[in-house]
Amino acid sequence: MMALLKMSCIFVLILLNCLAWIVHGSHFLGGTITWRLLNQSATGTPVAVVITQTYSWSYSLITCTNAMISSNQLIPTSSYPLLLTATLNCIANCTSGAIGYVAPNIRPRCTNISPSLGITVGQRSDTVSIEAGSDFSVAYQDTAWRPLASSASAAWSVSSRIQLTIRPDNSLYNNAPTASLMSPINIPYNQSTAIYIPVADADGDITRCRWSTSLNGVNECGGVCPPGSLPANTMIYPNCTIIIIDQTIGDWFAITLMVEDFINSSSIDPLSSVPVQFLVQVVSPPGCTIAPEIIGIPLEQACIPLSVGQTFNSELMAVNNCGLSVTIVDIATLSFSGMIQGNIAQLNTTIYYKTLSWIPTTAQIGFQVMCAMALDSQNAQSAQYCFKFYVSETSACACPGETCITTTTT
Ligand SMILES: *[C@@H]1O[C@H](CO)[C@@H](O)[C@H](O)[C@H]1NC(C)=O
Ligand SMILES: *[C@@H]1O[C@H](CO)[C@@H](O)[C@H](O)[C@H]1NC(C)=O
Ligand SMILES: *[C@@H]1O[C@H](CO)[C@@H](O)[C@H](O)[C@H]1NC(C)=O
Ligand SMILES: *[C@@H]1O[C@H](CO)[C@@H](O)[C@H](O)[C@H]1NC(C)=O
Ligand SMILES: *[C@@H]1O[C@H](CO)[C@@H](O)[C@H](O)[C@H]1NC(C)=O
Ligand SMILES: *[C@@H]1O[C@H](CO)[C@@H](O)[C@H](O)[C@H]1NC(C)=O
């Protein structure tokens, strides 16, 4: 289908077809796919697995509203009708390793918008019933990313490996890690920039990051496989930090990485693999080079334990350090359904804020990662500010892997 459109662009030059192709190519901004057990103590077969897909889209082409977010509506598809039928297909070990898997749809529900940053975020969760012992990979694949420095119309492949074998350490099934990042993010040209990917794991496992590959029979990166798709010397560390530097203002890169969890620190056999894909745009440094900053509660990288039905209320704040001529135009977020946000408001000349309110549901048990980024009137972005929640059926005093601070009275 897309190849046909592309051919008409090249050979027939029917303007409308070309436009359709160009517009189509700038819809997608990246995403992530994770999964967890519906019932943490499940032991039999088949196993109910909740797959959560989170994608970012161009706001101008896929426009959600605050009302659509509050009422949990599916993202509009008028500019991208392929989304009506797109599914998260099995791409590896499908005949013997994915018994019971029925591919859920891709089309997500509206969860976040930032008109000023040009982002709509959508998320969906589906429960699928899979035979014990399964080991397969699923992916959302289509063409094409917007024109990138490495390719004018590269295909994308966002893939996740689902492995349902009993863990030797606790005799239970595994849960995949959860990670996320906003997209697109700006990096100043000719400056080494570190990007840190927030990761959480419900089992408290060791996690590591690596570049996506299309080796080993699984296409994890489509037409944008590192290192060829990235500037020379771009690094990824197992602790999920990326170091990138590029010399050309206006370059776009799609960054494709996998987060994996391991049974212990000496293991090199992942229990699962979760993709994180996002866009980076190389920009000239803004006039005032002190970037805006996000502060507030939750603290950056913090984890807040919540129980189902418990209300969470807070404020995210953005600080403008550039004086009266610069204002904060948005605090953009990437979250999940039910996280209701107020409009951006001004506290005083330096501080702006947005209220947050959420009541977790049973469907949201496990880790939920949220990120925020401030944008000022000179188009400067803050660093990503990410934090996470751990939702459980009954109240927990700490997130997995953290110790409770309890006080006892005698
Ligand atoms: C979860 O699985 C366990 C073990 O199979 C079972 O005893 C329990 O009833 C299940 N819980 C729910 C809510 O289905
Ligand atoms: C397919 O399953 C085998 C074991 O059954 C496993 O070694 C292999 O990594 C799996 N491949 C994928 C792509 O999931
Ligand atoms: C790029 O950065 C290097 C080292 O910081 C500096 O020497 C060089 O002048 C910069 N180039 C441009 C075009 O700004
Ligand atoms: C990640 O690892 C790199 C290389 O070991 C190190 O330089 C960096 O400080 C680490 N980052 C964090 C956030 O721990
Ligand atoms: C790590 O896990 C593997 C597989 O269960 C086991 O064989 C190995 O002994 C473990 N290593 C350590 C250091 O616990
Ligand atoms: C803005 O409000 C914050 C928090 O109350 C305060 O710390 C800061 O000094 C205020 N700044 C100005 C310029 O009034």
Side-chain angles (χ1 to χ4, degrees), residues 196 237 239 241:
Y196 178 71
Y237 294 110
N239 63 14
T241 304

Side-chain angles (χ1 to χ4, degrees), residues 223-238:
V224 282
C225 294
S229 55
L230 296 174
N233 304 320
T234 305
M235 301 287 291
I236 188 168
Y237 294 110

Side-chain angles (χ1 to χ4, degrees), residues 324-340:
L324 291 173
S325 62
V326 173
T327 56
I328 303 281
V329 296
D330 197 11
I331 301 175
T333 55
L334 184 159
S335 62
F336 32 81
S337 68
M339 178 61 84
I340 304 299

Side-chain angles (χ1 to χ4, degrees), residues 133-405:
S134 293
D135 181 1
F136 62 108
S137 293
V138 296
Y140 173 31
Q141 300 182 324
D142 201 353
T143 49
W145 290 97
R146 70 181 59 216
L148 302 170
S150 63
S151 165
S153 69
W156 73 75
S157 179
V158 189
S159 91
S160 186
R161 179 172 170 194
I162 300 176
Q163 195 172 194
L164 286 176
T165 42
I166 296 279
R167 297 170 62 114
D169 55 351
N170 62 8
S171 303
L172 295 171
Y173 294 107
N174 185 50
N175 294 278
T178 303
S180 218
L181 203 70
M182 300 191 69
S183 177
I185 67 174
N186 292 346
I187 61 167
Y189 90 107
N190 198 33
Q191 271 177 41
S192 179
T193 304
I195 301 170
Y196 178 71
I197 320 295
V199 176
D201 186 275
D203 308 304
D205 292 330
I206 302 280
T207 56
R208 293 181 206 125
C209 283
R210 62 165 174 85
W211 291 134
S212 304
T213 74
S214 57
L215 310 169
N216 314 318
V218 187
N219 182 352
E220 298 169 338
C221 38
V224 282
C225 294
S229 55
L230 296 174
N233 304 320
T234 305
M235 301 287 291
I236 188 168
Y237 294 110
N239 63 14
C240 301
T241 304
I242 290 170
I243 309 286
I244 184 170
I245 178 168
D246 184 68
Q247 311 295 336
T248 311
I249 294 169
D251 273 359
W252 285 85
F253 297 95
I255 298 197
T256 58
L257 63 102
M258 304 298 287
V259 183
E260 299 184 317
D261 55 340
F262 297 87
I263 194 97
N264 58 36
S265 57
S266 46
S267 172
I268 53 163
D269 294 321
L271 299 168
S272 60
S273 305
V274 158
V276 177
Q277 302 198 358
F278 58 96
L279 286 165
V280 161
Q281 181 186 16
V282 182
V283 298
S284 56
C288 164
T289 55
I290 318 167
E293 198 186 350
I294 292 195
I295 57 172
I297 304 291
L299 296 173
E300 186 168 18
Q301 308 298 346
C303 181
I304 299 195
L306 289 175
S307 53
V308 170
Q310 184 184 353
T311 304
F312 170 80
N313 281 319
S314 191
E315 277 171 8
L316 277 179
M317 287 185 261
V319 186
N320 163 39
N321 291 308
C322 286
L324 291 173
S325 62
V326 173
T327 56
I328 303 281
V329 296
D330 197 11
I331 301 175
T333 55
L334 184 159
S335 62
F336 32 81
S337 68
M339 178 61 84
I340 304 299
Q341 300 169 39
N343 290 325
I344 186 155
Q346 195 171 1
L347 187 65
N348 60 31
T349 51
T350 53
I351 299 197
Y352 294 69
Y353 68 97
K354 217 176 196 184
T355 57
L356 301 178
S357 175
W358 175 45
I359 303 176
T361 63
T362 312
Q364 293 176 315
I365 286 175
F367 275 109
Q368 301 289 341
V369 177
M370 177 162 178
C371 295
M373 183 165 76
L375 180 76
D376 73 20
S377 53
Q378 52 168 10
N379 256 337
Q381 293 177 341
S382 70
Q384 302 267 324
Y385 182 99
C386 301
F387 46 89
K388 56 207 176 196
F389 299 92
Y390 184 73
V391 180
S392 47
E393 200 85 62
T394 51
S395 66
C397 66
C399 296
E402 295 180 350
T403 42
C404 294
I405 301 162

